Amino acid sequence: MAVAGTLYTYPENWRAFKALIAAQYSGAKIKVLSTPPQFHFGQTNKTPEFLKKFPVGKVPAFEGEDGFCIFESNAIAHYVSNEELRGTTQEAASQVLQWVSFADSDIVPPASTWVFPTLGIMQYNKQATEYAKEEVKRILSLLDSHLKTRTFLVGERITLADITVVCTLLWLYKQVLEPSFRQPYENVNRWFVTCVNQPQFKAILGDLKLCEKMAQFDGQEIYSPPPPPRFSLKWPFCLGKWEAGCVASSLHHSWTYIRSPAAALINFKGFMRGYLLALPCKKPTLAYIISSPL
């Protein structure tokens, strides 16, 4: 019996697209609440009624007709999928999970750093953006190599791996991957276009227009940092709570601006853990991020 229920989100949420596309394949019946008065993001998801069902107050969030509630986009997409999307063998299911995890750990951080300033969501930092561009090139090269002899990421049919990675790359392809930038990655481009032109994808994404000219940054640069000085600190040198409103870079060993004094634990890609040291002051603070093996 197909899953049925309600998905709470905000309009054009690429994370929600994962579950909605999966539902197109599995036959799950999903009602979307994303606009007032049914759902007002930032208000409805902070009410006691909503938090009783979804304690973290995040969207997308899914409530089944049977009362089953679940949050986190990957978990929702998995729940509304069928066996074919999840992987029909233990090996295939593990590979699907591998690419879903890869999308979150490797693609989301640089994609957000590069794309968000062009949408006015966050301010532009030159060093962070240049690093993000190089990371995107690394990711596209890796995917291009994998897809050289494959039509899809896992097996011969579309799975949650393809759905998740396509949705994670969506804003890159729409906003900044102009033809000259994406041209070297022919296999990725072929795979991406193949996926988004499937009826199940088009039912959610519509007719997708690829970027023709790299979007410019909608805002001014916060700070263009100098090369970090050479110094050493005894490990661990700083522990503390993350304060709401802090803006921190995920770059290894780099200067960054934060908007309030704090000491924050940051998880880096790979087997690294880092701490951000912020000096107490009444204005944006220049801080140094240093990382050390676990």
Side-chain angles (χ1 to χ4, degrees):
M1 183 177 178
V3 171
T6 301
L7 186 71
Y8 301 94
T9 183
Y10 52 82
E12 297 301 309
N13 182 354
W14 66 268
R15 294 184 184 275
F17 290 162
K18 292 182 280 187
L20 295 174
I21 294 170
Q24 290 290 317
Y25 281 93
S26 69
K29 306 299 181 183
I30 298 181
K31 177 183 178 181
V32 178
L33 296 184
S34 61
T35 56
Q38 292 88 355
F39 182 80
H40 191 157
F41 179 64
Q43 295 183 18
T44 307
N45 56 307
K46 302 300 181 183
T47 62
E49 294 80 10
F50 190 91
L51 293 174
K52 185 176 181 180
K53 300 174 184 177
F54 310 103
V56 297
K58 295 170 62 176
V59 296
F62 179 82
E63 181 179 7
E65 288 185 350
D66 59 358
F68 176 71
C69 294
I70 188 170
F71 58 89
E72 290 295 347
S73 60
N74 292 332
I76 299 168
H78 181 89
Y79 179 68
V80 303
S81 293
N82 54 25
E83 185 182 19
E84 189 172 278
L85 290 177
R86 296 173 187 143
T88 55
T89 66
Q90 185 176 2
E91 291 78 10
S94 298
Q95 289 176 326
V96 168
L97 180 58
Q98 165 191 277
W99 289 110
V100 169
S101 301
F102 174 81
D104 273 353
S105 65
D106 283 55
I107 304 177
V108 170
S112 301
T113 299
W114 187 4
V115 172
F116 282 2
T118 72
L119 299 172
I121 297 174
M122 62 183 284
Q123 288 182 287
Y124 169 61
N125 179 286
K126 182 178 180 180
Q127 178 177 309
T129 300
E130 291 304 313
Y131 179 86
K133 289 181 181 180
E134 293 305 311
E135 277 293 281
V136 169
K137 289 179 181 178
R138 179 187 67 82
I139 290 160
L140 293 177
S141 294
L142 185 154
L143 288 170
D144 200 67
S145 177
H146 181 78
L147 290 164
K148 186 175 182 179
T149 58
R150 298 173 175 87
T151 304
F152 301 110
L153 290 174
V154 179
E156 300 301 321
R157 296 179 181 273
I158 284 177
T159 65
L160 269 179
D162 303 288
I163 294 172
T164 301
V165 177
V166 163
C167 288
T168 310
L169 292 171
L170 192 61
W171 276 105
L172 285 169
Y173 268 96
K174 290 174 64 174
Q175 199 75 359
V176 294
L177 297 187
E178 62 187 8
S180 61
F181 191 99
R182 65 178 186 261
Q183 187 275 331
Y185 313 106
E186 294 180 355
N187 301 313
V188 184
N189 298 331
R190 178 260 306 159
W191 161 82
F192 185 86
V193 171
T194 298
C195 288
V196 298
N197 279 294
Q198 299 301 307
Q200 295 86 348
F201 279 78
K202 295 187 76 169
I204 303 303
L205 305 179
D207 293 320
L208 189 66
K209 184 179 180 181
L210 301 184
C211 174
E212 295 181 357
K213 183 179 180 181
M214 189 180 296
Q216 300 303 307
F217 302 105
D218 185 12
Q220 296 184 351
E221 182 178 344
I222 298 177
Y223 181 69
S224 184
R230 295 192 176 193
F231 67 93
S232 60
L233 292 171
K234 186 178 180 180
W235 181 264
F237 64 87
C238 184
L239 286 171
K241 290 184 177 180
W242 173 269
E243 289 186 10
C246 289
V247 178
S249 167
S250 62
L251 301 179
H252 292 278
H253 300 274
S254 62
W255 288 100
T256 186
Y257 254 135
I258 62 172
R259 293 194 173 279
S260 63
L265 174 64
I266 298 174
N267 290 317
F268 291 109
K269 179 170 63 66
F271 299 101
M272 306 292 286
R273 176 174 292 172
Y275 292 95
L276 183 149
L277 177 65
L279 304 177
C281 66
K282 295 182 180 180
K283 58 183 180 180
T285 305
L286 188 62
Y288 190 70
I289 294 177
I290 190 168
S291 60
S292 174
L294 285 172

